[in-house]
């Protein structure tokens, strides 16, 4: 590890002295003041514009004295635009530098005080924006999100796919880190998939898909990072909003209030939500037993599930001085769920016949997830872009799941009862230090250190009653207590510079040391892991064209994927006696090298983004299926039958080669068309299993939006996923579509939105085929009832004033896979 750190500092030592070369010798300077108070306006944004086209050529921000400077400006005719939240934008015309400094003197910005609903928005954001290392989907611009869930919203984001269980893929990789506001959240701690189904899309401002994360990000997420940015109000005064949705599959109510006076800001939020779903399906499997003998399994099932909860958030921020700021925030979520399932199973083998039906109930009161998060930060700003930040985060999540199972057989009726209870909890403590310093007007150095301390525990107990008069008894072979600790210590350094006014380079490296200790408290089994990883990153971008309307980007990153408690938990799910699944406490991290070449441009009313990429992962997670003797899972079973057993293992070598294209155009001033397609070739191999699979995969979407008179707008969209490839099989493709209409109310302070999901299809079919040569072939089909209608209402109230709030730092634990990847 020490040699890697030494090499990193050598690299930085070589790069730091590089200075941009240019033939211009002129400068543009000035000072920005509040027109009312004559005080400096710190952090005001200053843009250098082309006089001929009004397009920005360069940009900077004011320092603590309101001063700004543009270095090495080529001779020509320019305008200078100065803006800041709470002030009217000021444009200084006819700026013509030659070979001497042009001093604009004092530029006065006029404060504004406006009522909500009176603000005129000029130059609205596009639905999708492209940047060197990421694509940004502006969710608040998509009217079809009203009343939807975050899982449904993510289906519309370029490069992403979401399956029926809410699991997210980025360019075909399930190894994705999902953040909220740039940091891990207790909302996501227990299961990303479950959390996305609970999070209202109305609360989401934007989604960043970061395909080439820099060294400042934790190394986790082999496919990349998805950052969900929630809506917030940074304006002073008192403002708030009320959102409510009533739907056939999802409903919610949300209220928030923000009060800002002087140096103090208080934000509060409270709400509730509920979801309800149902599905039906079947499993057909053939086991090859040898000697030309086979066994056949046939199952039919139906499911209903629902859940709901309440949540609250409270935050404070305070400016101790002009250069020192602190924040404190807390979040809690109390979620409960319920489910019922009916399963009918028939298993026929040469020497056995097994037929039964099971009714499984997960009661509302016994399945609940209380979550709590507390965070704080301190930031000292030496001058613009020169900062020192200390951040802390404490997360606590508890999870209790319970079920009761009744089994009947045709010949004897009720013959078996079972109850299960799994109590798990997760505690996470994080400390992070970040330092950013501009070395000159064209380069910046970032340094940081971080530690994450995790402790997770799962205590699962299974009891059974064979109706022999002895009542319920504990099953020791299926009960245990698992204690898991994961400690991560990391440090990073990155250096960014701008060359020749059109090239940007950012190089960095991160070193992470991981220590894992796991123990089964009711047995002698234990897990011990120690590993150190060197994570280099490099991004180079080039802007060219007359107005720099073309961007070319080359990126490389190494990514790490640690398993979450969901994949590690050895709890065995045997609700289906013939199809059993579990976690694997011996999983280790997978390592991925990722390469990307991207191009983007905006020509008149059309935006185009294209990229090609390649990923190579070793030690990859793969959920492996095999048939095992029933007695291996149920020690007392003497039926000489087999069970379909699945668990995650580090057995795969996965390579992906693909390309994606995104385009957006305004056909008219009131008609916008957006489309994206992602196609890749994936190859998965496992020497241990002697298995491999490969094939082409694609996904895409097409969205059309219209704006009419009198505050009326509409949108239609269709989303297509092809079959997906994994080690032992593939899933089928599917199509999902949406229609929505929105009407603005109360002078644009409110709105009413009607949304329809899949109005032309009652169900969506999900089919998974798994095959292992000479052992088995299995096909599972699920029909999810996804057709739904919802009506959403939004109302904003309050008054905003002219004292804008400074940007706040957040903490980011983007370092391991969660959910059901």
């Amino acid at each position: 590890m020490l040699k890697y750190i030494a090499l990193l500092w050598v690299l930085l030592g070589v790069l730091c002295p590089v200075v941009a070369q240019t033939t211009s010798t002129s400068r543009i300077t000035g000072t920005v003041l509040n027109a009312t108070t004559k005080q400096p306006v710190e952090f005001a944004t200053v843009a250098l514009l082309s006089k001929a086209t009004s397009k920005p050529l360069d940009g900077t921000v004011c320092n603590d004295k309101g001063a700004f400077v543009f270095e090495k400006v080529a001779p020509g005719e320019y305008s200078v635009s100065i803006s800041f939240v709470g002030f009217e934008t000021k444009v200084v015309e006819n700026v013509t530098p030659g070979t001497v400094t042009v001093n604009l003197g004092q530029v006065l910005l006029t404060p504004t005080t406006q009522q909500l609903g009176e603000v005129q928005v000029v130059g609205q954001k596009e639905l999708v924006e492209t940047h060197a290392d990421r694509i940004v989907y502006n969710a608040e611009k998509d009217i079809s999100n009203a009343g939807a869930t975050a899982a449904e919203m993510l289906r519309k984001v370029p490069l992403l796919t979401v399956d029926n269980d809410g699991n997210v893929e980025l360019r075909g990789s399930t190894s994705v880190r999902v953040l909220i506001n740039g940091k891990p959240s207790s909302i996501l701690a227990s299961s990303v998939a479950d959390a996305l189904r609970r999070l209202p899309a109305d609360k989401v401002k934007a989604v960043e898909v970061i395909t080439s994360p820099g060294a400042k990000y934790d190394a986790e997420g082999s496919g990349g990072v998805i950052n969900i940015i929630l809506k917030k109000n940074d304006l002073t005064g008192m403002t708030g909003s009320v959102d409510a949705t009533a739907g056939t599959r999802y409903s919610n109510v949300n209220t928030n209030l923000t009060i800002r006076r002087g140096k103090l800001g208080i934000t509060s939020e409270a709400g509730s939500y509920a979801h309800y779903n149902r599905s039906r399906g079947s499993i057909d499997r053939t086991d090859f037993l040898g000697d030309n003998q086979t066994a056949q399994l046939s199952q039919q099932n139906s499911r209903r599930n629902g859940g709901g909860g309440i949540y609250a958030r409270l935050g404070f921020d305070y400016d101790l001085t002009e250069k020192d700021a602190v924040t404190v925030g807390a979040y809690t979520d109390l979620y409960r769920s319920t489910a019922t399932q009916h399963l009918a199973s028939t298993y026929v083998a040469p020497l056995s016949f097994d037929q039964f039906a099971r009714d499984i109930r997960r009661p509302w009161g016994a399945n609940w997830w209380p979550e709590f998060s507390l965070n704080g930060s301190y930031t000292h700003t030496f001058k613009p872009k020169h900062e020192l930040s200390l951040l802390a985060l404490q997360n606590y999540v508890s999870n209790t799941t319970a079920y009761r199972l009744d089994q009947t057989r045709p010949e004897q009726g009720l013959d078996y009862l079972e109850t299960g209870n799994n109590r798990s909890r997760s505690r996470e403590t994080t400390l992070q230090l970040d330092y950013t310093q501009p070395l000159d007007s064209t380069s910046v150095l970032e340094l940081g250190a971080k530690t994450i301390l995790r402790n997770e525990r799962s205590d699962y107990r299974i009891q059974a009653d064979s109706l022999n008069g002895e009542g319920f008894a504990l099953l020791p072979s299926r009960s245990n207590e698992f204690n898991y600790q994961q400690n991560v210590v990391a440090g990073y350094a990155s250096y960014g510079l701008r060359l020749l006014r059109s090239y940007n380079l950012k190089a960095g490296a991160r070193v992470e040391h991981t220590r894992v200790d796991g123990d089964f408290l009711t047995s002698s089994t234990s897990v011990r892991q120690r590993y150190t990883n060197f994570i280099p990153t490099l991004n180079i971008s080039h802007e060219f064209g007359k107005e720099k309307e073309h961007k070319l980007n080359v990126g490389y990153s190494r990514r790490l994927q640690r398993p979450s408690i969901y994949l590690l938990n050895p709890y065995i799910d045997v609700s289906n006696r013939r199809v059993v699944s579990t976690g694997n406490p011996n999983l280790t991290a997978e390592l991925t090298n990722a390469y990307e070449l991207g191009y983007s441009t905006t020509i008149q009313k059309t935006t185009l983004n294209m990229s090609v990429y390649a990923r190579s992962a070793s030690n990859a997670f793969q959920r492996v299926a095999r048939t095992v003797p029933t007695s291996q899972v149920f020690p007392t079973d003497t039926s000489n039958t087999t069970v379909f057993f699945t668990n995650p293992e580090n057995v795969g070598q996965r390579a992906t080669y693909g390309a994606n294209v995104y385009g957006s155009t305004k056909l008219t001033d009131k008609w916008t068309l957006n489309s994206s397609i992602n196609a890749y070739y994936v190859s998965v191999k496992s020497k241990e299993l002697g298995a491999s699979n490969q094939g082409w995969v694609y996904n895409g979407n097409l969205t059309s939006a219209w704006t009419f008179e009198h505050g009326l707008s509409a949108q239609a969209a269709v989303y297509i996923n092809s079959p997906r490839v994994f080690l032992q099989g593939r899933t089928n493709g599917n199509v999902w579509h949406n229609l929505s209409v929105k009407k603005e109310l109360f002078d644009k302070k409110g709105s009413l939105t009607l949304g329809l999901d899949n109005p032309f299809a009652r169900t969506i079919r999900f089919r998974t085929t798994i095959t292992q040569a000479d052992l088995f072939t299995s096909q599972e089909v699920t029909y999810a009832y996804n057709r739904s209608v919802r009506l959403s209402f939004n109302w904003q109230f309050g008054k905003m004033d002219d004292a804008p709030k400074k940007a706040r730092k957040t903490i980011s634990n983007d370092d391991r896979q969660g959910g059901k990847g």
Side-chain angles (χ1 to χ4, degrees):
M1 181 176 70
L2 292 177
K3 70 175 183 179
Y4 291 137
I5 296 175
L7 287 173
L8 170 64
W9 286 107
V10 170
L11 173 65
L12 293 177
V14 172
L15 292 176
C16 287
V18 178
V19 179
Q21 300 297 316
T22 178
T23 57
S24 174
T25 59
S26 60
R27 304 166 75 235
I28 300 175
T29 64
T31 304
V32 181
L33 303 179
N34 186 317
T36 303
T37 65
K38 298 302 186 292
Q39 295 298 312
V41 180
E42 300 180 54
F43 311 113
T45 300
V46 187
L48 183 64
L49 311 177
S50 166
K51 178 67 175 178
T53 64
S54 297
K55 291 188 176 182
L57 302 176
D58 201 357
T60 186
V61 294
C62 296
N63 63 15
D64 56 344
K65 295 181 173 55
F68 66 88
V69 60
F70 290 107
E71 300 280 0
K72 304 171 185 176
V73 180
E77 297 185 0
Y78 303 91
S79 299
V80 175
S81 174
I82 306 166
S83 60
F84 198 46
V85 178
F87 292 85
E88 296 180 359
T89 299
K90 179 85 171 183
V91 178
V92 181
E93 303 284 1
N94 302 320
V95 180
T96 56
T99 58
V100 296
T101 298
V102 175
N103 189 344
L104 302 182
Q106 295 181 350
V107 181
L108 303 180
L109 291 189
T110 304
T112 60
T113 302
Q114 298 172 302
Q115 298 291 330
L116 287 178
E118 299 174 354
V119 180
Q120 299 297 317
V121 180
V122 179
Q124 296 183 357
K125 290 183 178 180
E126 298 293 338
L127 181 63
V128 175
E129 300 176 13
T130 59
H131 301 273
D133 63 342
R134 69 193 66 194
I135 289 179
V136 181
Y137 166 76
N138 292 303
E140 61 183 347
K141 306 298 296 180
D142 191 338
I143 66 171
S144 68
N145 289 330
T149 67
E152 294 168 327
M153 175 201 66
L154 289 182
R155 288 192 176 101
K156 311 171 189 180
V157 180
L159 310 185
L160 302 185
T161 56
V162 182
D163 66 16
N164 189 48
D165 294 323
N167 303 309
V168 183
E169 289 187 1
L170 170 53
R171 287 175 170 171
S173 173
T174 57
S175 299
V176 180
R177 183 56 172 166
V178 181
L179 308 176
I180 291 184
N181 291 336
K183 60 184 178 180
S185 171
S186 61
I187 301 173
L188 306 171
S190 56
S191 167
V192 172
D194 290 340
L196 293 177
R197 287 195 295 265
R198 289 153 46 190
L199 179 65
D202 299 306
K203 296 175 59 179
V204 178
K205 177 180 180 182
V207 179
E208 296 180 332
V209 181
I210 307 171
T211 56
S212 185
K216 190 172 183 177
Y217 285 92
D218 291 339
E220 186 68 12
S222 300
V225 174
I226 302 171
N227 183 27
I228 300 175
I229 303 172
L230 301 182
K231 295 177 182 176
K232 61 181 180 179
N233 192 347
D234 288 343
L235 300 172
T236 62
M238 184 181 73
T239 58
S241 68
V242 176
D243 296 272
T245 294
T248 56
R249 289 198 303 116
Y250 183 81
S251 300
N252 73 78
V253 175
N254 173 266
T255 60
N256 69 78
L257 181 67
T258 299
I259 302 174
R260 298 195 182 278
R261 289 288 184 266
K263 298 181 178 181
L264 177 65
I266 303 174
T267 59
S268 60
E269 181 182 16
S272 65
Y273 54 91
H275 64 87
Y276 5 87
N277 300 282
R278 66 188 182 102
S279 64
R280 58 182 172 86
S282 63
I283 297 176
D284 292 285
R285 190 179 83 238
T286 300
D287 297 339
F288 303 106
L289 306 178
D291 297 327
N292 294 321
Q293 293 184 325
T294 62
Q296 302 289 334
L297 173 70
S298 177
Q299 293 185 338
Q300 292 76 41
N301 64 76
S302 60
R303 298 182 180 90
R304 288 181 179 269
N305 64 77
I310 58 175
Y311 59 89
R313 188 190 314 272
L314 184 63
F316 300 87
D317 56 78
Y318 186 75
D319 294 330
L320 298 172
T321 69
E322 291 185 355
K323 296 185 177 182
D324 298 275
V326 295
T327 68
V328 177
Y331 173 85
T332 187
D333 188 336
L334 303 176
Y335 172 72
R336 292 183 181 272
S337 69
T338 182
T340 59
Q341 178 183 359
H342 178 75
L343 171 70
S345 176
T346 301
Y347 182 82
V348 181
L351 299 178
S352 64
F353 176 81
D354 186 25
Q355 188 174 35
F356 62 85
R358 286 187 165 187
D359 289 295
I360 305 164
R361 299 178 299 280
R362 300 182 185 274
W364 174 271
N367 289 268
W368 60 301
W369 288 261
E371 306 178 7
F372 180 75
S373 176
L374 181 66
N375 64 82
S377 71
Y378 164 76
T379 301
H380 176 73
T381 303
F382 300 92
K383 58 183 180 180
K385 298 183 180 181
H386 185 189
E387 294 181 338
L388 176 68
S389 298
L390 177 64
L391 307 101
L393 174 69
Q394 178 74 51
N395 276 347
Y396 179 84
V397 182
S398 179
N399 183 350
T400 301
T401 58
Y403 69 88
R404 178 185 173 91
L405 180 155
D406 297 348
Q407 178 176 286
T408 60
R409 296 184 183 275
E411 66 276 11
Q412 63 191 82
L414 183 68
D415 77 325
Y416 178 78
L417 303 175
E418 182 177 292
T419 62
N421 190 290
N422 182 13
R423 298 175 182 270
S424 63
R425 64 121 176 95
S426 172
R427 185 174 61 240
E428 180 178 278
T429 303
T430 306
L431 293 174
Q432 179 174 323
L433 182 67
D434 294 308
Y435 177 73
T436 303
Q437 180 179 5
L439 301 180
D440 54 37
S441 61
T442 61
S443 62
V444 62
L445 177 67
E446 295 177 305
L447 302 171
K450 184 175 185 177
T451 183
I452 309 172
L453 308 176
R454 293 189 176 98
N455 181 266
E456 308 191 55
R457 176 172 294 185
S458 175
D459 183 2
Y460 49 99
R461 297 286 184 267
I462 307 297
Q463 293 183 313
D465 183 357
S466 299
L467 302 181
N468 55 8
E470 297 182 1
F472 282 95
L474 182 70
L475 300 178
S477 64
R478 293 170 52 196
S479 304
N480 212 320
E481 187 173 356
F482 179 55
N483 189 23
Y484 177 83
Q485 291 184 337
Q486 182 193 87
N487 297 332
V488 179
V489 179
Y492 74 89
S494 69
Y495 176 71
L497 73 159
R498 186 173 180 87
L499 298 169
L500 303 175
R501 298 181 59 83
S502 63
Y503 287 89
N504 289 281
L505 180 147
K506 192 166 188 178
R510 188 178 186 92
V511 177
E512 294 192 353
H513 176 72
T514 306
R515 180 187 180 100
V516 174
D517 295 286
D519 293 288
F520 292 90
L521 302 185
T522 51
S523 69
S524 59
T525 307
S526 63
V527 178
R528 298 287 183 270
Q529 297 176 9
R530 308 286 188 269
Y531 49 90
T532 300
N533 298 96
F534 176 71
I535 312 295
T537 63
L538 177 65
N539 277 282
I540 303 173
S541 63
H542 173 48
E543 300 173 346
F544 59 98
K546 184 176 180 181
E547 300 297 335
K548 296 184 179 179
E549 68 274 16
H550 303 285
K551 295 180 181 179
L552 192 65
N553 179 72
V554 178
Y556 164 77
S557 61
R558 181 176 295 169
R559 306 296 295 163
L560 181 72
Q561 189 71 60
R562 298 183 186 91
S564 71
I565 186 62
Y566 178 84
L567 297 176
L568 295 163
N569 194 341
Y571 168 73
I572 301 176
D573 182 358
V574 293
S575 55
N576 183 347
R577 185 179 176 86
R578 295 292 171 196
V579 182
V580 176
S581 63
T582 184
N584 181 0
N586 293 304
L587 281 180
T588 59
E590 69 175 38
L591 197 64
T592 298
N593 289 304
Y595 310 85
E596 180 176 1
L597 172 64
Y599 166 78
S600 63
T601 186
T602 299
I603 303 174
Q604 295 182 349
K605 297 181 180 181
T606 300
T607 297
L608 181 66
N609 173 270
M610 300 181 293
S611 63
V612 293
Y613 57 90
R615 289 196 307 265
S616 176
S618 59
N619 209 34
F621 302 148
Q622 288 288 305
R623 186 163 284 277
V624 176
R626 53 174 59 89
T627 52
V628 300
T630 303
S631 58
Q632 182 173 317
V633 181
F634 307 99
T636 60
D637 191 283
T638 58
S639 63
N640 195 32
T641 59
T642 59
V643 171
F644 198 64
F645 186 86
T646 64
N647 72 323
E649 296 185 14
N650 294 107
V651 298
Q653 301 291 321
R654 184 176 58 241
T656 304
Y657 311 94
N660 61 265
V661 179
Y662 169 79
S664 175
T665 186
K666 286 185 175 293
L667 301 177
T668 69
D669 289 340
K670 297 184 178 182
W671 184 13
T672 302
L673 200 63
N674 299 279
S675 181
S676 71
I677 187 168
N678 175 49
Y680 57 93
Y681 183 82
V682 59
S683 174
V684 189
K685 299 179 181 179
S686 173
K687 293 182 179 179
E688 292 86 347
L689 296 178
S692 64
N693 200 5
Q694 56 278 321
W696 283 97
V697 181
Y698 64 87
N699 63 280
N701 62 67
L702 177 65
T703 303
S704 184
W706 303 269
T707 302
F708 305 103
E709 302 294 334
H710 309 296
L712 193 65
S713 56
Q715 181 173 290
V718 61
Y719 310 92
I720 301 174
N721 291 317
S722 78
R724 290 183 298 155
V725 174
F726 54 94
L727 180 62
Q728 293 174 293
R730 63 181 58 225
T731 63
N732 73 303
N734 56 75
V735 178
W736 181 80
H737 54 281
N738 169 274
L739 300 171
S740 56
V741 179
K742 177 180 178 180
K743 178 67 171 71
E744 294 180 338
L745 305 171
F746 316 132
D747 294 328
K748 299 184 179 181
K749 296 179 183 179
S751 66
L752 198 64
T753 303
L754 176 66
L756 300 174
D757 292 328
N758 300 304
F760 306 116
R762 188 184 184 193
T763 63
I764 295 180
R765 185 182 67 172
F766 297 88
R767 183 180 65 237
T768 301
T769 303
I770 304 175
T771 301
Q772 186 70 36
D774 301 325
L775 293 178
F776 63 83
T777 177
S778 174
Q779 179 172 276
E780 180 176 0
V781 180
T782 299
Y783 294 89
Y785 291 84
N786 279 57
R787 179 188 290 171
S788 68
V789 58
R790 59 181 180 268
L791 186 65
S792 302
F793 171 77
N794 168 265
W795 175 51
Q796 302 180 54
F797 60 89
K799 179 181 179 181
M800 56 187 184
D801 302 323
D802 68 339
K805 186 175 76 74
K806 296 179 181 178
R808 305 297 179 189
K809 290 285 186 178
T810 57
I811 200 167
S812 303
N813 287 357
D814 44 338
D815 80 303
R816 54 177 188 166
Q817 180 175 340
K820 301 177 182 178

